[in-house]
């Protein structure tokens, strides 16, 4: 929640949209906190725990699938003009993953080659 705007900017969103998305995430956090507080009285802890485990399992499974799809469909890059990326990354995904390159703003300046 605290670094969400920074993470969104690093992923390619502009500053204005990143702040609004960060606000949306924070608002959802507050809303579901209150839903949980009042839900404990009505449904009990066990039902809320089991329900949240199911929802988290589904969400994390979908997130894992999304990472697999991103890894397999990442476009190739021509990194010859960028010293920090040269020889390190062949695709956008490997650039972001690498310790030597790893900053998306640097990789966004690389020319993406459609293959």
């Amino acid at each position: 929640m605290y670094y969400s705007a920074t993470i969104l900017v690093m992923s390619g969103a502009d500053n204005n949209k990143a702040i609004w998305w960060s606000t949306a995430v924070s608002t959802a956090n507050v809303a579901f906190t209150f839903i949980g507080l009042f839900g404990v009285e009505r449904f009990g802890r066990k039902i809320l725990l089991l329900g949240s485990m199911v929802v988290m399992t589904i969400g994390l499974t979908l997130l894992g699938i999304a990472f697999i799809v991103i890894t397999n469909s990442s476009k190739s890059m021509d990194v010859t003009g960028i010293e920090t990326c040269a020889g390190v990354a062949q695709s956008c995904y490997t650039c972001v993953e690498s310790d030597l390159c790893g900053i998306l703003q640097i990789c966004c300046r690389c020319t993406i080659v459609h293959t």
Side-chain angles (χ1 to χ4, degrees):
M1 179 166 74
Y2 301 107
Y3 295 105
S4 60
T6 304
I7 293 169
L8 289 169
V9 168
M10 289 177 67
S11 69
D14 63 4
N15 287 333
N16 193 28
K17 287 183 182 177
I19 290 171
W20 283 110
W21 278 108
S22 177
T23 302
V25 168
S26 300
T27 302
N29 187 7
V30 170
F32 283 103
T33 297
F34 283 109
I35 289 172
L37 284 172
F38 295 116
V40 166
E41 296 296 324
R42 184 170 186 159
F43 304 112
R45 292 180 186 167
K46 186 175 183 180
I47 298 296
L48 286 179
L49 176 65
L50 293 175
S52 64
M53 283 176 41
V54 169
V55 171
M56 285 191 301
T57 301
I58 292 169
L60 289 174
T61 301
L62 292 174
L63 184 64
I65 291 169
F67 279 127
I68 290 170
V69 169
I70 288 170
T71 303
N72 293 335
S73 65
S74 185
K75 295 185 171 105
S76 297
M77 298 186 312
D78 177 18
V79 292
T80 54
I82 308 295
E83 289 181 21
T84 55
C85 290
V88 174
Q90 291 76 35
S91 70
C92 295
Y93 179 77
T94 56
C95 180
V96 172
E97 188 180 50
S98 171
D99 291 335
L100 299 173
C101 182
I103 301 171
L104 192 60
Q105 285 93 346
I106 293 171
C107 294
C108 286
R109 287 182 282 206
C110 298
T111 306
I112 296 175
V113 178
H114 298 281
T115 57

